[in-house]
């Protein structure tokens, strides 16, 4: 069953964790670590939380329309989380869009793309796992 309300509420939880994690990383952690280490911190800390939200989503939307529900989450979660993360950086630090786009520069070791890919893949994988169990 497709549950857009559930998808939205879980996304709000993910967005809140990502923004709060960025705030902690930018204020407290950045003073002690290098820029690359802080970027890895910002990706690795919310990763288990994203997986947990994907599992909750998959369990609540299991059934004949699990794939549509998983696709909804896989499309909305990464795009809206990137948007919220950009707005956080823009409003808090007056960061230019080019600086934010540097987070996607995986060729110099920026791991932000891993978080975006996880936000896309986690609902699909969890949905498939829980659809197979029923």
């Amino acid at each position: 069953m497709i549950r857009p309300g559930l998808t939205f509420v879980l996304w709000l939880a993910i967005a809140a964790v990502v923004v709060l994690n960025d705030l902690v990383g930018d204020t407290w952690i950045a003073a002690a670590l290098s820029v690359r280490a802080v970027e890895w911190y910002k990706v690795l800390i919310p990763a288990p939380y994203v997986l947990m939200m994907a599992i909750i989503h998959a369990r609540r939307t299991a059934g004949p329309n699990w794939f549509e529900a998983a696709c909804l989450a896989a499309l909305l979660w990464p795009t809206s989380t990137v948007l919220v993360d950009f707005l956080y950086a823009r409003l808090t630090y007056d960061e230019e869009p080019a600086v934010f786009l540097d987070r996607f520069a995986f060729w110099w070791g920026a791991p932000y793309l891993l978080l975006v890919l996880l936000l896309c893949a986690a609902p699909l994988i969890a949905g498939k796992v829980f659809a197979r169990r029923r």
Side-chain angles (χ1 to χ4, degrees):
M1 169 183 275
I2 299 174
R3 296 183 177 181
L6 174 71
T7 304
F8 179 70
V9 167
L10 293 176
W11 168 76
L12 280 176
I14 291 170
V17 164
V18 168
V19 169
L20 289 174
N21 185 57
D22 284 354
L23 181 68
V24 168
D26 291 337
T27 55
W28 295 330
I29 305 295
L33 298 175
S34 67
V35 173
R36 187 173 296 168
V38 171
E39 290 300 318
W40 276 101
Y41 168 83
K42 289 180 181 182
V43 169
L44 293 177
I45 295 301
Y49 192 74
V50 168
L51 292 174
M52 182 178 66
M53 294 297 121
I55 290 169
I56 291 170
H57 184 267
R59 291 183 68 194
R60 299 287 184 204
T61 58
N65 294 333
W66 73 267
F67 185 69
E68 290 83 1
C71 282
L72 178 67
L75 291 173
L76 292 179
W77 287 0
T79 53
S80 54
T81 301
V82 167
L83 179 65
V84 165
D85 215 8
F86 169 73
L87 291 175
Y88 158 76
R90 181 76 173 157
L91 296 174
T92 306
Y93 300 108
D94 201 28
E95 206 172 78
E96 293 296 321
V99 174
F100 181 78
L101 290 176
D102 281 344
R103 288 182 169 187
F104 293 97
F106 60 90
W107 50 87
W108 64 263
Y112 190 71
L113 190 58
L114 293 175
L115 179 62
V116 175
L117 292 174
L118 178 66
L119 283 164
C120 184
L124 294 170
I125 294 169
K128 179 72 173 168
V129 167
F130 283 95
R132 193 180 305 165
R133 293 176 71 188
R134 288 192 178 233

